[in-house]
Amino acid sequence: MLKMIIYFLVAIGLITYATSTVTERTKYTTKYDNIDLDEIIHNERLLKNYVDCLLEKGRCTPDGLELKKNMPDAIETDCSKCSEKQKEGSEIIIRYLIDNKPEYWNPLQDKYDPTGSYKKRYLDAKKTEVNVEPIVKS
């Protein structure tokens, strides 16, 4: 009886381990989550290098390769495998490109989001955002 309980516990442990390993693989790596996105946005050379990488017009850094590999899936699944930091970062970058760099966004959209579904979701969300103006006392 004790032997059966031990086998049962070992089996449960193996199943739990296998399940957690599969779950971990369904997320994108967080190895590059600490990249300074503000620096990329405010540095035209860096921004252009990332865009060129994604469009296969230039060399890719290791983080650029990871981004390029995951971009189609992330757009298709609405970033379901992204960490919270990755979701926030992608929103920051893509909103910046749509609003400020259409010359970069348009070819990226043609390649990675030809139906325009991401841009439509972004523009719809932007319409519902509430902008609060500060109260100015006279």
Side-chain angles (χ1 to χ4, degrees), residues 29-37 39-40 63 83 85-86:
T29 183
T30 57
K31 184 163 63 170
Y32 302 107
D33 280 11
N34 292 320
I35 290 179
D36 186 351
L37 299 178
E39 179 184 4
I40 294 169
D63 54 309
S83 68
K85 190 164 186 172
Q86 290 166 345

Side-chain angles (χ1 to χ4, degrees), residues 17-19 27 39 44-45 53 94 106 123 129 134:
Y17 173 75
T19 304
K27 296 287 186 187
E39 179 184 4
E44 184 65 26
R45 183 187 57 80
C53 164
I94 294 175
N106 292 333
L123 293 174
E129 287 178 1

Side-chain angles (χ1 to χ4, degrees), residues 30-90:
T30 57
K31 184 163 63 170
Y32 302 107
D33 280 11
N34 292 320
I35 290 179
D36 186 351
L37 299 178
D38 203 43
E39 179 184 4
I40 294 169
I41 286 174
H42 293 96
N43 184 320
E44 184 65 26
R45 183 187 57 80
L46 280 176
L47 184 60
K48 183 173 181 349
N49 285 345
Y50 277 99
V51 171
D52 286 349
C53 164
L54 292 171
L55 294 174
E56 298 176 19
K57 293 181 177 181
R59 295 178 54 171
C60 294
T61 59
D63 54 309
L65 284 171
E66 190 70 26
L67 177 62
K68 187 166 105 174
K69 178 179 85 174
N70 295 325
M71 181 81 94
D73 181 67
I75 287 178
E76 184 179 314
T77 64
D78 201 21
C79 221
S80 66
K81 297 177 187 174
C82 295
S83 68
E84 282 307 308
K85 190 164 186 172
Q86 290 166 345
K87 286 179 183 179
E88 291 168 12
S90 65

Side-chain angles (χ1 to χ4, degrees), residues 1-10:
M1 181 71 164
L2 182 60
K3 210 176 197 182
M4 248 171 134
I5 292 173
I6 292 173
Y7 283 135
F8 178 73
L9 291 175
V10 169

